[in-house]
Amino acid sequence: MGERIPAKNEETLYVDLAGDHDKVYNRHLSNGKFLKLRRLFVWPLLLAYFLTPWLNLMERQSVLFDLPERKFHIFWVTFYPQDGILLAFLLIISAFTLFAVTNVFGRVWCGFTCPQTVWTQIFMWLEYKTEGDRGKRMKLDKMPWNVEKVARKGAKHGSWILVGFLTGLTFVGYFTPIRELVVDLATFNAAPSAVFWVMFFLVATYANAGFLREQVCKYMCPYARFQSVMYDANTLVVTYNEQRGEKRGPRKPKVDYREQGLGDCIDCTWCVQVCPVDIDIRDGLQYECINCGLCVDACDSIMDKMGYERGLISFTTENNIAGGKTKFLRPRLIGYVFFILLMAGALVTTLVQRVPMEADIERDRNVMHRINNAGQIENPYRVKIVNMLGDTHRYELRILDNDQFILSGDTSIEVEGGDVKEGIILITVDPADINRLRYDIEVEVRAIEDPSLVKIIETRFMAPQVR
Ligand code: SF4
Ligand code: SF4
């Protein structure tokens, strides 16, 4: 990387908002290839976030994290706490995918899909629609309070609060049935905890996307601190071509600027004005840069106006800048991909082998053993069956490979989809058939309609002292 060039952005104006933080007046960009690319990511993600809880599948909400019932409904499958290993695999795969993507494309997660970036973009768009572009907003902030200022500020904050409320409502709607939540909120019957969390996310969204914005990326996000360890000389980063751009400065039309010792940068500061984290990329690579590409779009539009070649600011790699070639396949990336494939294989194997039912048999610890009216030795047990599928199943219980023991009680239990049922079973034996204090017994729990839904549980039978 070349010698750092000090920022020179006299034309970038700031207004003090609260004394300890300069308000950033971003310029609105309406065109550009990275802007379009971001829209391609943002819209599907936003629609998925806001609409998913409203979709119903199999007579229940399609995605619902039911914490009190400890059930996590995700489309057609219901997960239980015992499926935690699947979640662990998914988290590891997600983390390593992020590392691999960062290794190739830099911080594109931050620039294109991170919720902080996405919601900040929505808030900035609402700000632009209600208060106008950069210059108008600066003027509005400086003017004394009047009807126009109250109306514009009111519309901006009103729309922010509405988006914050919808964000909070949707988020809570992933944890409590959203249709009931809306009715309960509208009729003032919602649980205090639901109201608290909706308000919490409203305030968090309003504050983070409306006011803190780039401060979250710069000072609060831990990912910004360690993402550089995933970078190498082949990672795509947004870079200002110093050799081509310097010496920067304004120029007169029809005068050969090169003869005046000027480069292609006209020092318009548009790249700074559009930057959501308020940095000047001409100062060199900075950890705050989220690789959003807005400065690339802004500068390309200036290059077009000037009739210069595009790409004064571009996505490129350290190797390219040094005149070398960018290698796509490199050991670190291969390592990340290998690990992702390994974990994906483990996840698929676990999923394929996963039996979507759980069964547990627990001996009644209050009763060691007892003699029933027929003179047989009897042990009581509590049985619990979890049906992780969406449809109802009837499960039958039987003792395996042990003819002298007899099973009775709730030996046939019907469990609705995504539900848990409990029952009591008894194992009895004729005293003449036993000669030990303890027996290990295997009980099979099998769905009648689908024999693949089966669990074999080992339990213990306790007998009295044999004389
Ligand atoms: S947008 Fe391009 S021309 Fe304008 S200041 Fe930035 S680098 Fe220079
Ligand atoms: S420097 Fe450019 S790419 Fe980096 S955050 Fe600012 S606008 Fe986005």
Side-chain angles (χ1 to χ4, degrees), residues 240 264-272 282 295 298-299 302-303 312-313:
Y240 166 69
D264 280 355
C265 175
I266 64 167
D267 207 13
C268 62
T269 70
W270 270 43
C271 50
V272 184
R282 296 172 301 169
C295 55
C299 191
I302 297 293
M303 294 295 107
L312 178 57
I313 302 177

Side-chain angles (χ1 to χ4, degrees), residues 124-320:
M124 281 165 70
W125 181 79
L126 290 169
E127 192 170 55
Y128 166 72
K129 285 288 171 194
T130 50
E131 293 188 351
D133 206 354
R134 185 169 183 270
K136 281 190 182 163
R137 293 204 304 278
M138 291 161 120
K139 213 167 128 196
L140 189 74
D141 276 355
K142 280 182 189 158
M143 73 163 63
W145 283 98
N146 56 25
V147 175
E148 185 198 348
K149 187 165 175 171
V150 169
R152 287 188 181 278
K153 293 270 174 201
K156 178 178 86 171
H157 289 285
S159 60
W160 282 3
I161 289 169
L162 180 65
V163 173
F165 172 72
L166 292 176
T167 305
L169 176 75
T170 306
F171 191 85
V172 176
Y174 279 95
F175 294 87
T176 189
I178 197 162
R179 287 175 168 79
E180 291 169 28
L181 177 66
V182 169
V183 173
D184 289 349
L185 284 173
T187 54
F188 302 100
N189 283 321
S193 59
V195 176
F196 170 81
W197 286 112
V198 171
M199 294 309 291
F200 176 85
F201 284 104
L202 187 165
V203 173
T205 310
Y206 180 69
N208 284 343
F211 299 98
L212 294 174
R213 295 189 176 174
E214 78 286 354
Q215 311 293 320
V216 175
C217 307
K218 279 179 170 176
Y219 308 119
M220 292 159 76
C221 176
Y223 180 55
R225 305 281 149 190
F226 69 85
Q227 46 86 29
S228 59
V229 300
M230 290 151 230
Y231 279 31
D232 58 31
N234 296 294
T235 303
L236 278 173
V237 283
V238 173
T239 312
Y240 166 69
N241 187 335
E242 196 181 304
Q243 267 110 23
R244 188 184 143 191
E246 299 301 315
K247 182 179 160 203
R248 64 182 85 157
R251 67 232 33 222
K252 291 198 177 88
K254 295 183 188 155
V255 174
D256 187 349
Y257 62 97
R258 292 197 192 279
E259 277 183 7
Q260 297 177 309
L262 292 172
D264 280 355
C265 175
I266 64 167
D267 207 13
C268 62
T269 70
W270 270 43
C271 50
V272 184
Q273 292 174 30
V274 296
C275 178
V277 292
D278 191 32
I279 57 170
D280 188 340
I281 196 64
R282 296 172 301 169
D283 290 348
L285 180 63
Q286 292 147 76
Y287 83 90
E288 296 98 331
C289 175
I290 57 171
N291 265 25
C292 68
L294 285 179
C295 55
V296 180
D297 286 340
C299 191
D300 278 349
S301 73
I302 297 293
M303 294 295 107
D304 289 349
K305 277 185 199 146
M306 299 300 293
Y308 302 165
E309 194 189 337
R310 286 182 166 202
L312 178 57
I313 302 177
S314 65
F315 275 88
T316 188
T317 66
E318 211 179 301
N319 273 347
N320 264 356

